[in-house]
């Protein structure tokens, strides 16, 4: 099988220590495949008629003398010049001493504890690791993040663990502004609502509450006013947007150190945008009050950029991607944060 590089099944087991390090084997010099290499995932080739689970239990017991509960994680396909396989990844935990492990000398010459980042860094610096196993480690690192995200009921995330693959870095990250980058108990939102109501009643003679009904029907009061024939010229629209967003956000918003640290922790090579249904001036005022305006610069996508469309329509997202220079073929490379589940569903 190795000689002809035939496609096969294999198991990859992550043995996790209490500090989250992994047990990494040093392959015996007697091995025909990658002798003396580091292998961060005990496991092996699944035999004819053998299940992944039975194989994982057997390999862990034979190679390290461990009989432990295994948690199925994900399956993946991997191919290079020496390996062509479908792998099944499992996780188990070990809180004993490394010296207490019963190693199979024909398979394993030693075991070390390494963090995930150390494994990947050492491989990058030239240490010899089995490539299929370090690929599995990268998947494991991604899986941990996915697992953390999916544990929150507020996040919508679909992960195919039956055919798990590495995702490329995002092309762009989009953040909603109001009640997403900050939350002030809806104080700014209420002032915006009051301003819109006041403008619609005083300037357009609408009945009290009608502006909110337009918002509920069309996604923004602005679009409702346009659809209802209450706004038609660009100058009227600009006047409305300027008036209703003059709400003095500095009275409610203060510099947010944790928000700043979080944004700065993101990969600086990935462009970040504020994507708002309001106007650029309002978003800038919010960012300045929060102390993060320098992080975004002029990367603000407002309702004008989106042709006055709301986030209830796919057109607004297409406009946002176009502004960010992301092609439609790369839609999967966009990350979008919003406090509205409806908006997130439309983005998907």
């Amino acid at each position: 099988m190795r000689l002809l590089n035939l496609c096969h099944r294999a198991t990859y087991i992550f043995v996790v220590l209490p500090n989250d390090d992994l047990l990494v084997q040093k392959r015996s010099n007697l091995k025909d495949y990658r002798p003396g290499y580091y292998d961060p995932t005990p496991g092996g080739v699944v035999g004819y008629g053998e299940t992944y689970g039975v194989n994982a239990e057997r390999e862990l017991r034979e190679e390290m003398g461990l009989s432990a509960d295994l948690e199925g994680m994900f399956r993946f396909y991997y191919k290079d010049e020496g390996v062509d396989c479908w792998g099944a990844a499992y996780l188990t935990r070990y809180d004993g001493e490394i010296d207490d492990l019963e190693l199979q000398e024909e398979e394993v010459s030693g075991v070390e504890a390494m963090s995930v980042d150390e494994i990947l860094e050492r491989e990058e610096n030239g240490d010899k690791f089995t490539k299929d196993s370090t690929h599995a480690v990268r998947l494991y690192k991604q899986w941990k993040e996915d697992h953390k995200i999916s544990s929150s009921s507020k996040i919508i995330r679909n992960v195919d663990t039956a055919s798990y693959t590495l995702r490329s870095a995002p092309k762009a990250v989009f953040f909603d502004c109001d009640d997403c980058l900050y939350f002030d108990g809806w104080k700014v939102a209420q002032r915006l609502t009051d301003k819109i109501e006041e403008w619609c009643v005083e300037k357009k003679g609408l009945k009290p509450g009608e502006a909110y009904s337009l918002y509920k029907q069309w996604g923004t009061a602005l679009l409702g006013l346009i659809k209802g024939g209450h706004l038609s010229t660009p100058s009227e629209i600009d006047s409305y947007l300027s008036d209703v967003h003059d709400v003095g956000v500095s009275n409610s918003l203060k510099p947010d150190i944790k928000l700043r640290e979080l944004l700065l922790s993101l990969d600086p090579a990935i462009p970040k945008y504020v994507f708002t249904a309001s106007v650029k001036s309002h978003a800038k005022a919010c960012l300045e009050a929060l102390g993060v305006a320098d992080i975004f610069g002029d990367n603000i996508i407002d309702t004008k950029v989106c042709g006055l469309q709301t986030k209830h329509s796919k057109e607004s997202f297409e406009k946002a991607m176009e502004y960010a220079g992301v092609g439609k073929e790369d839609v999967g490379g966009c990350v979008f944060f919003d406090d509205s589940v409806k908006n997130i569903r439309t983005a998907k």
Side-chain angles (χ1 to χ4, degrees):
M1 182 190 67
R2 293 289 190 194
L3 181 63
L4 299 177
N5 196 16
L6 300 177
C7 187
H8 60 280
R9 295 179 299 151
T11 53
Y12 297 78
I13 307 165
F14 297 96
V15 183
V16 184
L17 300 177
N19 66 352
D20 277 345
D21 281 359
L22 299 178
L23 288 184
V24 179
Q25 297 179 346
K26 187 77 175 292
R27 294 171 66 84
S28 166
N29 287 324
L30 301 175
K31 298 286 289 182
D32 62 337
Y33 174 72
R34 302 290 190 257
Y37 278 52
Y38 286 109
D39 186 347
T41 56
V45 175
V46 179
Y48 176 76
E50 189 177 37
T51 66
Y52 281 116
V54 168
N55 174 271
E57 291 175 354
R58 176 176 62 78
E59 292 284 355
L60 190 61
R61 185 171 58 252
E62 291 177 356
E63 293 181 9
M64 305 181 76
L66 292 178
S67 295
D69 293 332
L70 296 173
E71 175 189 348
M73 299 168 65
F74 53 83
R75 296 188 182 183
F76 64 97
Y77 178 69
Y78 179 83
K79 184 175 182 178
D80 64 19
E81 68 280 0
V83 178
D84 184 357
C85 79
W86 274 98
Y90 291 88
L91 181 147
T92 190
R93 300 192 179 275
Y94 179 68
D95 58 5
E97 299 293 331
I98 291 179
D99 290 342
D100 293 337
L101 296 170
E102 299 176 7
L103 306 182
Q104 186 179 23
E105 293 183 4
E106 304 83 37
E107 299 280 339
V108 184
S109 64
V111 172
E112 297 180 31
M114 300 183 196
S115 70
V116 167
D117 289 338
E118 181 185 357
I119 291 168
L120 299 178
E121 183 177 341
R122 287 180 62 170
E123 181 192 39
E124 186 175 337
N125 290 335
D127 283 1
K128 293 181 177 180
F129 286 79
T130 52
K131 292 182 180 179
D132 55 324
S133 289
T134 51
H135 177 75
V137 168
R138 290 182 175 87
L139 289 172
Y140 169 71
K141 185 176 182 178
Q142 178 180 281
W143 178 88
K144 288 207 302 180
E145 291 300 316
D146 286 343
H147 195 67
K148 186 189 304 182
I149 291 171
S150 63
S151 65
S152 170
S153 61
K154 296 181 180 180
I155 301 295
I156 298 173
R157 163 61 70 82
N158 294 320
V159 178
D160 181 9
T161 56
S163 183
Y164 200 50
T165 57
L166 280 175
R167 294 185 297 274
S168 58
K171 299 291 184 181
V173 182
F174 301 88
F175 296 88
D176 179 41
C177 181
D178 297 305
D179 299 321
C180 184
L181 282 177
Y182 71 88
F183 180 69
D184 67 341
W186 295 289
K187 293 175 184 176
V188 170
Q190 187 58 54
R191 290 207 291 275
L192 287 168
T193 300
D194 293 342
K195 275 275 193 177
I196 292 169
E197 173 76 2
E198 178 186 329
W199 195 94
C200 289
V201 171
E202 294 184 1
K203 296 289 182 71
K204 291 298 176 180
L206 271 63
K207 297 177 182 178
E210 192 172 349
Y212 186 71
S213 297
L214 290 174
Y215 158 73
K216 295 293 288 185
Q217 181 180 359
W218 295 102
T220 62
L222 170 62
L223 189 58
L225 289 168
I226 293 172
K227 294 291 185 180
H230 304 290
L231 291 176
S232 56
T233 66
S235 60
E236 275 190 308
I237 292 170
D238 286 344
S239 176
Y240 165 84
L241 290 171
S242 176
D243 290 346
V244 302
H245 287 100
D246 183 16
V247 294
V249 297
S250 60
N251 296 328
S252 298
L253 306 183
K254 303 300 178 186
D256 189 331
I257 295 175
K258 288 186 177 180
L259 174 63
R260 183 174 181 83
E261 290 176 346
L262 185 151
L263 292 172
L264 289 174
S265 72
L266 301 177
D267 186 345
I270 302 172
K272 293 170 281 293
Y273 296 85
V274 170
F275 180 18
T276 177
S278 68
V279 288
K280 190 171 186 177
S281 58
H282 172 74
K284 273 196 168 184
C286 291
L287 297 177
E288 288 169 359
L290 292 168
V292 296
D294 59 306
I295 296 175
F296 290 96
D298 286 328
N299 287 356
I300 298 174
I301 301 168
D302 68 357
T303 187
K304 291 184 178 180
V305 172
C306 295
L308 308 181
Q309 293 296 319
T310 75
K311 293 179 191 173
H312 293 180
S313 68
K314 70 175 185 178
E315 288 80 9
S316 67
F317 291 95
E318 290 172 349
K319 290 286 187 181
M321 288 173 58
E322 181 181 346
Y323 184 89
V326 180
K328 291 183 179 180
E329 68 280 3
D330 292 320
V331 64
C334 295
V335 179
F336 174 54
F337 295 92
D338 200 291
D339 61 299
S340 167
V341 173
K342 187 172 183 178
N343 290 348
I344 292 174
R345 287 194 176 121
T346 305
K348 292 181 69 181

